[in-house]
Amino acid sequence: MTTDISAPRQTELSGMMRHWEKSTTKFAEAFEQYIGRGPEMVPLTDAELREIIDACNTAVAPFGKSVSDERWISYMDVVRWSQSARHIKDMEAFKAVCILNCVTFVWDDMDPALHDFDAFFPELRKICEKYYSEEDARFALEGARAFITSDHMFRGSPIKEVLCTTSPEQYFRFRVTDVGVDFWMNMSYPIYRNAEFTEHAKTGLAARMTTRGLAIVNDFYSYDREVSLGQITNCFRLCDVSDQSDFERFFEDRLDDIIEDLRCIAAFDDITRDVLFDLVYGNFVWTTSNKRYKAAVNNVNSRIQ
């Protein structure tokens, strides 16, 4: 496991890039201190990788858009880093999470004018029914429905503007659904076949315990891309990133939020603790190493139009 603390190369650092190395070091130190053991990337055979990519292409075919293997793999690697490799019991369910994660990434990256619920939702249902038991498919499908509906209906809405620009507390309430953490839990619990984690996932507690750790990291590294797209779903819009003291104050408060959550997660049962820790830490490893976050716009993060 490696964490790249060097900022992407630019002739002159601007936006969030000016804070990249120092903040990345602070994130890494916090995860090392409060989590310790780093995540492991889940291995996939060439055949499994091909199965997942082919299923993804089938699911998004109704949109009439071509998605490269490179982009699918970029999306997929967050699952491979963030699912707790040491506790996986069901690889079929793991493949389902890879597929659902990837195709909803496409939905998120897509111009909302192209969104077609009637065409897309049946494809999500097919994925869930193929890879999960009947009950687990129901939870995964509902999580997917809530996420894509939220993503579509809140784009440009006054509700979103109020929640994202009032305070960190309001912002993170919104992000439980908008960043897809509740969806992640509903599609992920079957992987582990663990009764306690299953209940924490179904009640929504697991999502709420990890939202800040996931969203703050995501927001930091996607800030420049989201600003370039005019998006307001980024907690760092609540501070002035061009003002060093204002940014540092805000960043330290958000880092304290993550540390508070990690201290609480440490008190959960052993499996739930490990799964939630690997999710938060794995997301950080993926984000700091993935091409998606290396430039404001590139071929794996550009708007699909």
Side-chain angles (χ1 to χ4, degrees):
M1 183 192 71
T2 59
T3 298
D4 183 1
I5 64 168
S6 59
R9 290 182 181 179
Q10 295 183 0
T11 55
E12 185 175 336
L13 295 182
S14 60
M16 197 61 85
M17 291 300 101
R18 74 189 72 187
H19 307 297
W20 181 290
E21 293 191 17
K22 185 175 181 180
S23 297
T24 299
T25 296
K26 288 186 175 183
F27 279 135
E29 289 173 348
F31 292 137
E32 174 62 29
Q33 179 177 353
Y34 294 99
I35 296 178
R37 175 172 174 167
E40 301 169 14
M41 193 179 201
V42 180
L44 289 171
T45 65
D46 289 344
E48 288 170 330
L49 190 62
R50 191 70 255 165
E51 176 187 349
I52 291 167
I53 292 174
D54 288 347
C56 290
N57 284 323
T58 298
V60 301
F63 297 131
K65 300 297 177 182
S66 177
V67 179
S68 69
D69 285 4
E70 181 185 12
R71 190 162 185 144
W72 286 131
I73 291 169
S74 175
Y75 291 151
M76 191 189 314
D77 280 354
V78 68
V79 181
R80 298 181 67 187
W81 273 114
S82 300
Q83 297 289 6
S84 193
R86 51 187 150 157
H87 295 303
I88 291 178
K89 297 250 189 326
D90 188 334
M91 278 302 294
E92 290 300 294
F94 177 81
K95 286 188 281 187
V97 176
C98 288
I99 299 164
L100 290 170
N101 169 80
C102 287
V103 299
T104 52
F105 252 117
V106 167
W107 179 272
D108 187 53
D109 280 350
M110 187 176 287
D111 186 324
L114 300 173
H115 286 170
D116 186 338
F117 288 87
D118 292 338
F120 190 46
F121 197 67
E123 297 300 328
L124 299 180
R125 184 185 299 278
K126 290 175 188 176
I127 295 164
C128 293
E129 291 177 347
K130 178 176 180 180
Y131 290 99
Y132 295 115
S133 69
E134 183 177 352
E135 180 182 356
D136 295 340
R138 179 166 57 86
F139 274 89
L141 188 62
E142 171 54 27
R145 185 208 63 78
F147 173 71
I148 66 173
T149 302
S150 173
D151 179 76
H152 181 82
M153 72 184 289
F154 284 111
R155 291 199 194 190
S157 75
I159 302 171
K160 179 177 180 176
E161 184 173 0
V162 169
L163 292 174
C164 290
T165 61
T166 298
S167 68
E169 290 74 22
Q170 301 302 330
Y171 176 80
F172 291 120
R173 287 191 181 102
F174 173 63
R175 291 293 265 170
V176 171
T177 301
D178 183 70
V179 83
V181 194
D182 199 53
F183 170 36
W184 182 281
M185 298 301 169
N186 281 335
M187 66 177 172
S188 295
Y189 74 79
I191 291 174
Y192 307 109
R193 297 179 187 166
N194 176 266
E196 289 175 289
F197 177 70
T198 294
E199 289 309 310
H200 293 317
K202 287 182 175 180
T203 62
L205 179 60
R208 282 151 184 79
M209 292 305 305
T210 51
T211 292
R212 293 194 295 187
L214 295 169
I216 292 165
V217 168
N218 176 270
D219 287 355
F220 178 84
Y221 294 103
S222 63
Y223 178 86
D224 291 326
R225 172 179 181 263
E226 291 174 351
V227 167
S228 72
L229 292 172
Q231 296 176 346
I232 63 170
T233 44
N234 194 298
C235 69
F236 290 98
R237 281 186 172 272
L238 294 167
C239 72
D240 182 357
V241 301
S242 66
D243 183 305
Q244 188 69 27
S245 61
D246 191 49
F247 169 78
E248 289 183 354
R249 173 196 58 78
F250 188 85
F251 180 87
E252 290 297 332
D253 286 346
R254 302 291 73 76
L255 192 61
D256 287 345
D257 288 341
I258 296 175
I259 291 169
E260 178 183 23
D261 291 342
L262 295 178
R263 284 172 167 160
C264 292
I265 290 169
F268 278 67
D269 62 275
D270 291 350
I271 301 296
T272 300
R273 178 200 63 217
D274 289 352
V275 170
L276 300 188
F277 275 169
D278 284 348
L279 172 58
V280 173
Y281 206 164
N283 176 66
F284 170 70
V285 173
W286 171 72
T287 304
T288 53
S289 61
N290 194 270
K291 183 178 179 181
R292 182 174 176 84
Y293 298 93
K294 296 303 182 184
V297 179
N298 59 38
N299 65 321
V300 298
N301 73 11
S302 58
R303 176 67 76 205
I304 296 172
Q305 298 177 326

